[in-house]
Every structure is written in structure tokens, then in C-alpha cells.
């Protein structure tokens, strides 16, 4: 089954947080919060402005994003827990190039 979001909606897979803290303490499942980071796995074509012109989304499939704790609607698709949200719920895109520059 494939899923195609409409308008300015995106389909997001949560990226699980680390199970250990920086100090090496293991965090039990009951104390974990839902991750606020995810990967866009499908995106709609965009929203329409007042004149009816299509405005493309800023996010694309494969982007790692940050979103609000209570953003989106949780769904189960092909046995996987996913989120559908509007692009306006996205706080930002995580750029991988910054990490690579620091490592060099």
C-alpha cells in the first residue's frame, strides 16, 4: 500500500532517541518521552495561495525534521506507527552538512 499526502501535509516516521544519556545512564522505556525528531517519508504537492497558485513545500522526502511534542496525527500504516502533519507544524530541518564540517 502506498500513501500520498494531500496539500501541505507530510508523512513522518519518528526517529527514536538514544537509550543512554551522555553520562552512560540507561533510560527505561517508561521514562522516555516521544521523540520530536523524524524523517519525512512522503510529502504532498503543496498548498494553494489566495490566487490559486500552487506553493511548493520547503521540506522534501528524506529530510530530518524537528516538530512539536503534540504535533500531527498518529496513524498505523502497514504495521508501522507514523505521523501525518501539516508543514506548518515543522520547526526546522536538520542539516547533516554542519556535522560533517565539524568532524573535518
Amino acid at each position: 500500500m502506498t500513501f500520498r499526502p494531500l496539500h501541505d501535509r507530510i508523512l513522518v516516521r519518528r526517529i527514536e532517541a538514544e537509550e543512554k544519556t551522555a553520562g552512560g545512564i540507561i533510560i527505561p522505556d517508561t521514562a522516555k518521552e516521544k521523540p520530536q525528531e523524524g524523517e519525512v517519508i512522503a510529502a504532498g504537492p503543496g498548498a494553494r495561495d489566495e490566487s490559486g497558485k500552487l506553493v511548493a513545500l520547503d521540506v522534501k522526502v528524506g529530510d530530518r525534521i524537528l516538530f512539536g511534542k503534540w504535533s500531527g496525527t498518529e496513524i498505523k500504516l502497514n504495521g508501522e506507527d507514523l505521523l501525518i502533519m501539516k508543514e506548518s507544524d515543522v520547526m526546522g530541518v536538520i542539516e547533516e552538512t554542519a556535522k560533517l564540517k565539524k568532524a573535518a
Side-chain angles (χ1 to χ4, degrees), residues 59-99:
V59 297
K60 59 188 180 303
V61 174
D63 280 350
R64 288 179 66 128
I65 60 168
L66 291 176
F67 50 87
K69 192 176 285 191
W70 308 110
S71 297
T73 302
E74 294 182 357
I75 64 163
K76 188 169 268 217
L77 189 64
N78 295 335
E80 186 176 11
D81 291 326
L82 303 169
L83 287 169
I84 298 175
M85 65 180 68
K86 287 188 166 250
E87 184 188 34
S88 59
D89 291 338
V90 176
M91 292 186 215
V93 177
I94 300 170
E95 299 287 340
E96 293 296 323
T97 55
K99 244 190 227 184

Side-chain angles (χ1 to χ4, degrees), residues 27-75:
I27 303 168
D29 288 340
T30 54
K32 286 184 190 173
E33 290 188 16
K34 289 186 178 182
Q36 294 176 287
E37 186 177 331
E39 178 185 3
V40 177
I41 57 175
R48 299 218 177 252
D49 63 9
E50 294 170 3
S51 64
K53 185 177 171 187
L54 189 67
V55 179
L57 300 177
D58 287 333
V59 297
K60 59 188 180 303
V61 174
D63 280 350
R64 288 179 66 128
I65 60 168
L66 291 176
F67 50 87
K69 192 176 285 191
W70 308 110
S71 297
T73 302
E74 294 182 357
I75 64 163

